[in-house]
């Protein structure tokens, strides 16, 4: 939740970016077409998942939808009214995303669903993400799509994963966060917690590790543990995996001048293929 949450104009700008020519969806569609030619016409249609902006509860003037001004906050209204306005905005975004996707008529993409970006499900005197997500998921199902989530590793989020498919999400992945925090000493606890709850794992790495985090000079060792853990705990072959790469890291690894860094492109490829072997 940002202190300066987006409004309808911002949400429209995100949709414009998602469907701009040669950006995001369009670029992916073109890239798959290029790969198909190199692989002699093999069908490589891929699923696409669109991120829904988080309706920030400090937003008092989101803008109008169907002539009604929306207020996400409890300023001048109660939590129920605020939550219904937040839901209205999310439903509008989903409808717009689907309409624009269908109008683009991509040859190689299928819009599978939507990703909820806030990494916990929060409820308080002024915020009710629980009710919002239950209603939003039903709406997304009515549109023939699915809802995805990737929470950070914490006892509260693990509790939320206990029965997540009967409440909020169709598919969830758990972040081990081992790449980022000294206090987290392995991927094992996250792997076990995810497996017990039929959730996937998020693979986390960087091409360059310049983030202001607690882990320094351990990027390779820690990412190797994610990869090796896929074999030890089974998530390489038995689980869906999400990938956090810090932004364009796959491309950067592929083009990297350092052979040590470049090797990780091949390791990721092998992991996705299910052929990776621990050193």
């Amino acid at each position: 939740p940002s202190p300066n949450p987006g409004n309808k104009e911002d949400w429209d700008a995100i949709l414009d970016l998602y469907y701009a020519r040669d950006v995001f969806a369009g670029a992916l569609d073109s890239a798959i077409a290029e790969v198909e030619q190199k692989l002699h016409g093999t069908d490589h249609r891929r699923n696409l998942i669109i991120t829904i902006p988080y309706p920030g509860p400090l937003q008092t003037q989101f803008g109008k939808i169907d002539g009604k001004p929306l207020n996400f906050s409890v300023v001048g209204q109660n939590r129920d009214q605020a939550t219904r306005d937040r839901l209205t905005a999310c439903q509008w975004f989903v409808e717009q995303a689907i309409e624009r996707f269908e109008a683009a008529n991509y040859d190689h993409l299928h819009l599978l669903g939507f990703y909820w970006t806030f990494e916990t499900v929060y409820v308080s005197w002024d915020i009710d993400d629980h009710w919002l997500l239950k209603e939003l998921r039903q709406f997304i199902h009515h549109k023939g799509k699915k809802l995805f989530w990737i929470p950070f590793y914490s006892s509260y989020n693990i509790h939320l994963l206990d029965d997540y498919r009967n409440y909020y999400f169709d598919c969830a992945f758990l972040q081990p966060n081992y790449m980022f925090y000294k206090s987290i000493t392995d991927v094992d606890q996250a792997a076990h917690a995810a497996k017990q709850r039929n959730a996937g794992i998020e693979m986390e790495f960087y091409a360059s590790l310049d983030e202001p985090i607690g882990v320094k000079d351990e990027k390779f060792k820690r990412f190797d543990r994610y990869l090796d853990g896929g074999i030890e705990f089974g998530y390489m072959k038995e689980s869906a995996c999400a990938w956090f790469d810090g932004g364009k890291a796959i491309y950067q690894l592929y083009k990297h001048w350092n052979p040590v860094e470049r090797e990780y492109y091949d390791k990721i490829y092998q992991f996705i293929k299910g052929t990776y072997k621990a050193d």
Side-chain angles (χ1 to χ4, degrees), residues 53-201:
Y54 184 70
L58 298 180
Q59 178 57 264
T60 60
Q61 296 179 328
F62 176 76
K64 293 182 179 180
I65 292 180
D66 296 331
K68 180 184 183 299
L70 301 185
N71 175 10
F72 297 166
S73 79
V74 292
V75 175
Q77 62 182 355
N78 61 33
R79 187 182 71 173
D80 178 69
Q81 293 168 316
T83 307
R84 290 181 184 277
D85 278 4
R86 297 173 74 215
L87 175 63
T88 296
C90 290
Q91 291 173 333
W92 169 83
F93 186 89
V94 166
E95 287 184 324
Q96 287 291 310
I98 293 173
E99 288 178 10
R100 295 193 190 199
F101 180 86
E102 292 175 348
N105 196 29
Y106 298 116
D107 293 324
H108 304 93
L109 300 178
H110 169 251
L111 182 56
L112 181 62
F114 295 86
Y115 166 56
W116 185 253
T117 185
F118 190 33
E119 295 181 8
T120 192
V121 180
Y122 194 66
V123 62
S124 68
W125 68 273
D126 60 343
I127 303 171
D128 188 357
D129 286 344
H130 290 253
W131 183 87
L132 169 62
L133 282 167
K134 291 176 184 179
E135 294 297 315
L136 179 60
R137 185 189 182 202
Q138 291 182 28
F139 180 81
I140 288 174
H141 283 184
H142 181 70
K143 298 293 183 179
K145 308 302 179 185
K146 299 182 184 298
L147 186 58
F148 296 79
W149 188 45
I150 311 178
F152 62 87
Y153 180 76
S154 72
S155 58
Y156 178 66
N157 282 341
I158 290 172
H159 166 70
L160 290 171
L161 286 172
D162 283 341
D163 204 17
Y164 71 90
R165 287 180 297 182
N166 286 331
Y167 289 94
Y168 315 113
F169 305 102
D170 298 294
C171 181
F173 306 81
L174 185 59
Q175 302 175 26
N177 299 135
Y178 173 61
M179 179 62 76
F180 311 120
Y181 300 103
K182 278 282 188 182
S183 59
I184 298 178
T185 58
D186 202 349
V187 300
D188 55 349
Q189 293 185 358
H192 289 308
K195 186 172 185 177
Q196 291 169 4
R197 293 160 180 83
N198 294 310
I201 283 288

Side-chain angles (χ1 to χ4, degrees), residues 1-16:
S2 168
N4 183 29
N7 57 24
K8 186 171 181 284
E9 184 178 348
D10 297 318
W11 289 30
D12 254 327
I14 292 172
L15 287 164
D16 289 343

